[in-house]
Amino acid sequence: MRNPHRTQKIAFFFLFLATLLIVVPVGLIVVIIIQKGLPAISWKFLTDMPREGMRGGGIFPAIIGTVYLVSGAIIFALPIGLSAAIYLSEYAKDNLLTRMIKLAIVNLAGVPSVVYGLFGLALFVVFFKFGASILSGSLTLGIMILPVIITTSREALESVPHSFREASLSLGASKWQTIRHIVLPNAIPGILTGMILGLGRAAGETAPILFTVAAFYLPQLPGSIFDQAMALPYHLYVISTQVPNVEEKIRYGTALVLLVLVLFMNLVAIIIRYQFRKKKKW
Amino acid sequence: MRKFKEFIIEKFILFCGLATIFFVVLIFLFLLKQGLALFKTFSPFQFLSGKNWYPISEPAQFGILPLILGSLLVTLGAAVISIPIGIGCAVYIAEIAPSKVKEILKSGIELLAAIPSVVLGFIGMVTLVPLVKNIFHLPTGLTALSGSIMLAFMAMPTIVSIAEDALYSVPKSYKEGALALGATHWQAIYRVMLPAASSGILAAVMLGIGRVIGETMAVMMITGNAASMPHSILQPIRTLTATIAAEMGEAVAGGEHYFALFAIGIVLFIISFAINVTADLFLHKRRS
């Protein structure tokens, strides 16, 4: 006869194994990149222009390009995303329109990143005639990270207890005053989390910037938002597939800088959320 | 005056809510506008069923069947790997792991989701690709299999976190009832929890697969980019997404090739739309 306790042991062993199969490779990826990339990292690598057709020098313009792109994306996406989240959590009634907005957000989150690239090319680069520029790239990335910002902000707003709103309204505050002075301040950590996650996503994506902004090799800093720029993820793609004979160290170094940038932002988001949950008074 | 200011603010908020719908429509319209231009000179039937993708030969041929099959092959491989592992891990996190370990595992999964695809592609190129080449004694390790393995890691975070959510939201009383009747913990999981969470888990799987189909950079870097009909998983292939990313740089704006790449974009948009709407229906069913 089959022993249910032995079956359980076997089953749990396999579940544990499945978890290991995810966790171990992830750990390995991070360790390999750190181990092989660290020797490349130096002040010069981080602040120098790429030289000798990207086979030497540093990655400074790529870092700066990514910072510009990500800042532009968040300047565009945060006001719209936060307002949309406020609409959904505070104003929306349970009707067809709300259902459609939610569905639109789900779809924006699911559209493949390369399709965002096509869209950015057709709308911003060609139709609006912004050309391949930081502006086009930022707007494309901004639309891409909207769902992240909306979903996290909305969760944060909805987790503020109803009694807070009722207390404020009963004191004679208007609906907007209540949102502005009661709901928003209490939701700030959650909104911040969403913003940082959006930044991380925008910093790491390559496909949307391929045709909207990314420059193959541009050893100078962008002068205005209508200039092309290098970007870290695209630079990593270029030196690992398009340019032969790039020293391994430089590739790993670039991968490390990108990885650290993105993981650092996610770590900050996780810590903010953790602290917030611990301190929550309700 | 205050009333007027609030009126403006509230209209702005409503406008931003509507903007999400507007963006989806805008994306679709712009894809359509550019993509449909191809079909003035090239038949849609040839486009979907043609076996040759020769965009720059004379006359050019835009058959995307090999690309569709390439995408399907990689996705299927990734699904076979990521679904059992992902659901297993979700069950482990939701039911078995002690609460401290659980938090660490969840953060770890989140970090995996955050690793940029170009970094995963790079790591795949330098570690996985040579490995596949040596194990199977192939002329190149840039194969559909390598792509599947790497993409599985991109699908897993989605599958794990949504499936874990689904398991977590099964009412406690279900499990307690099963345990009270003398079931072991595993029997309760297998016979009660998993069936109760099935629609959420299904949604998790679909969204994971959606992520894989849309993935671009990693797949372009490690599947070899050969736009021919795939015959085996140990062969270089090319996906829909990689084709757009690899060729748009060379396509002349307003030319046939350019329109054809947008037409591929339409196909991708429709696939992701279908997957996301269906997955959302499953998630919705669970809640109500």
Side-chain angles (χ1 to χ4, degrees):
Chain A
M1 225 189 98
R2 271 168 49 190
N3 180 343
H5 289 281
R6 211 167 80 204
T7 318
Q8 165 156 319
K9 268 199 179 139
I10 296 169
F12 281 11
F13 171 75
F14 275 106
L15 295 178
F16 181 65
L17 200 68
T19 311
L20 279 188
L21 275 174
I22 301 184
V23 175
V24 172
V26 176
L28 272 181
I29 290 174
V30 175
V31 168
I32 290 177
I33 293 183
I34 291 177
Q35 205 181 33
K36 296 202 173 178
L38 215 49
I41 305 294
S42 64
W43 184 245
K44 189 163 168 289
F45 184 69
L46 296 176
T47 57
D48 198 9
M49 294 290 161
R51 295 179 199 284
E52 301 143 46
M54 294 182 271
R55 291 182 188 87
I59 53 170
F60 187 55
I63 296 177
I64 294 298
T66 287
V67 170
Y68 282 170
L69 282 174
V70 167
S71 318
I74 209 75
I75 289 170
F76 171 73
L78 189 62
I80 298 183
L82 183 54
S83 304
I86 293 176
Y87 177 76
L88 283 175
S89 105
E90 307 298 318
Y91 290 95
K93 297 177 186 71
D94 194 10
N95 57 20
L96 185 67
L97 179 69
T98 309
R99 185 97 190 91
M100 273 176 70
I101 292 178
K102 286 181 182 165
L103 204 60
I105 294 169
V106 168
N107 270 299
L108 279 179
V111 170
S113 55
V114 72
V115 172
Y116 276 107
L118 284 181
F119 168 66
L121 173 67
L123 180 68
F124 301 123
V125 178
V126 176
F127 187 76
F128 284 149
K129 299 195 173 63
F130 294 155
S133 62
I134 294 180
L135 182 62
S136 304
S138 292
L139 291 172
T140 310
L141 287 173
I143 296 180
M144 189 191 74
I145 61 173
L146 267 183
V148 181
I149 294 178
I150 296 177
T151 320
T152 13
S153 307
R154 190 179 143 217
E155 255 171 48
L157 293 166
E158 282 179 350
S159 75
V160 177
H162 262 284
S163 53
F164 284 29
R165 295 180 180 80
E166 281 152 15
S168 163
L169 291 172
S170 69
L171 290 171
S174 69
K175 180 144 192 170
W176 171 247
Q177 282 174 324
T178 303
I179 295 171
R180 169 75 188 77
H181 296 288
I182 306 296
V183 182
L184 275 180
N186 279 301
I188 284 209
I191 295 168
L192 216 57
T193 310
M195 188 181 124
I196 299 170
L197 289 179
L199 283 173
R201 174 97 201 275
E205 276 290 351
T206 319
I209 58 172
L210 277 178
F211 344 113
T212 52
V213 48
F216 192 78
Y217 179 42
L218 192 73
Q220 64 185 44
L221 296 184
S224 82
I225 56 169
F226 293 103
D227 284 350
Q228 273 194 300
M230 294 180 82
L232 270 179
Y234 182 61
H235 186 64
L236 176 59
Y237 167 69
V238 166
I239 58 175
S240 49
T241 62
Q242 309 289 306
V243 185
N245 305 325
V246 177
E247 240 185 295
E248 205 180 43
K249 206 176 75 172
I250 294 184
R251 294 181 181 167
Y252 275 106
T254 311
L256 179 61
V257 173
L258 180 58
L259 191 68
V260 166
L261 187 75
V262 172
L263 291 193
F264 174 74
M265 285 197 253
N266 278 271
L267 211 60
V268 171
I270 290 174
I271 290 171
I272 292 178
R273 197 172 44 198
Y274 181 72
Q275 293 289 340
F276 180 52
R277 270 195 205 143
K278 226 170 47 181
K279 263 196 253 156
K280 213 144 105 174
K281 287 162 285 210
W282 58 84
Chain B
M1 193 56 208
R2 207 193 78 206
K3 276 235 162 102
F4 180 69
K5 194 181 123 204
E6 291 193 1
F7 177 78
I8 297 288
I9 290 173
E10 288 182 353
K11 282 294 166 249
F12 177 75
I13 287 173
L14 171 66
F15 173 79
C16 288
L18 295 176
T20 53
I21 301 180
F22 175 69
F23 284 135
V24 174
V25 175
L26 204 64
I27 292 174
F28 192 52
L29 283 183
F30 266 85
L31 290 178
L32 276 186
K33 185 182 151 225
Q34 309 279 339
L36 290 184
L38 174 72
F39 302 129
K40 282 182 207 145
T41 53
F42 200 81
S43 103
F45 181 73
Q46 269 293 309
F47 176 71
L48 286 174
S49 66
K51 288 183 185 162
N52 299 311
W53 175 261
Y54 299 137
I56 40 180
S57 65
E58 266 314 318
Q61 292 195 55
F62 300 108
I64 62 166
L65 193 61
L67 313 177
I68 294 180
L69 292 180
S71 279
L72 279 182
L73 190 62
V74 176
T75 306
L76 203 69
V80 168
I81 301 167
S82 63
I83 293 173
I85 297 181
I87 295 178
C89 178
V91 173
Y92 185 82
I93 291 179
E95 285 293 313
I96 302 168
S99 65
K100 277 256 160 89
V101 180
K102 187 173 168 166
E103 286 307 314
I104 297 172
L105 284 176
K106 281 172 94 168
S107 306
I109 302 282
E110 251 177 82
L111 289 186
L112 172 60
I115 298 178
S117 72
V118 68
V119 172
L120 282 178
F122 168 69
I123 268 296
M125 268 177 63
V126 290
T127 58
L128 186 64
V129 167
L131 200 67
V132 168
K133 181 181 164 179
N134 291 334
I135 290 178
F136 296 98
H137 304 291
L138 300 168
T140 170
L142 298 165
T143 58
L145 179 66
S146 319
S148 293
I149 296 174
M150 225 55 225
L151 285 183
F153 279 96
M154 312 193 105
M156 280 186 228
T158 311
I159 296 180
V160 173
S161 63
I162 298 176
E164 200 255 334
D165 250 5
L167 284 165
Y168 183 76
S169 66
V170 172
K172 267 221 159 64
S173 54
Y174 285 26
K175 187 174 131 191
E176 281 159 4
L179 293 177
L181 289 172
T184 62
H185 190 183
W186 169 244
Q187 283 170 330
I189 293 171
Y190 188 68
R191 298 283 173 91
V192 179
M193 304 281 293
L194 283 176
S198 60
S199 67
I201 293 176
L202 203 61
V205 167
M206 292 184 69
L207 291 173
I209 289 177
R211 174 118 199 253
V212 170
I213 291 183
E215 174 41 48
T216 313
M217 296 314 289
V219 97
M220 177 157 74
M221 291 162 86
I222 52 184
T223 55
N225 275 323
S228 54
M229 295 294 280
H231 298 292
S232 120
I233 195 153
L234 293 173
Q235 227 186 14
I237 52 103
R238 182 190 254 191
T239 63
L240 293 165
T241 49
T243 305
I244 300 177
E247 294 181 3
M248 189 48 100
E250 298 142 34
V252 184
E256 230 183 2
H257 188 193
Y258 179 87
F259 293 141
L261 295 177
F262 273 93
I264 296 180
I266 300 178
V267 174
L268 277 171
F269 185 89
I270 291 175
I271 293 174
S272 78
F273 189 85
I275 289 179
N276 283 294
V277 171
T278 327
D280 193 55
L281 283 178
F282 280 119
L283 282 177
H284 206 67
K285 189 174 128 201
R286 173 162 66 92
R287 280 194 208 103
S288 56

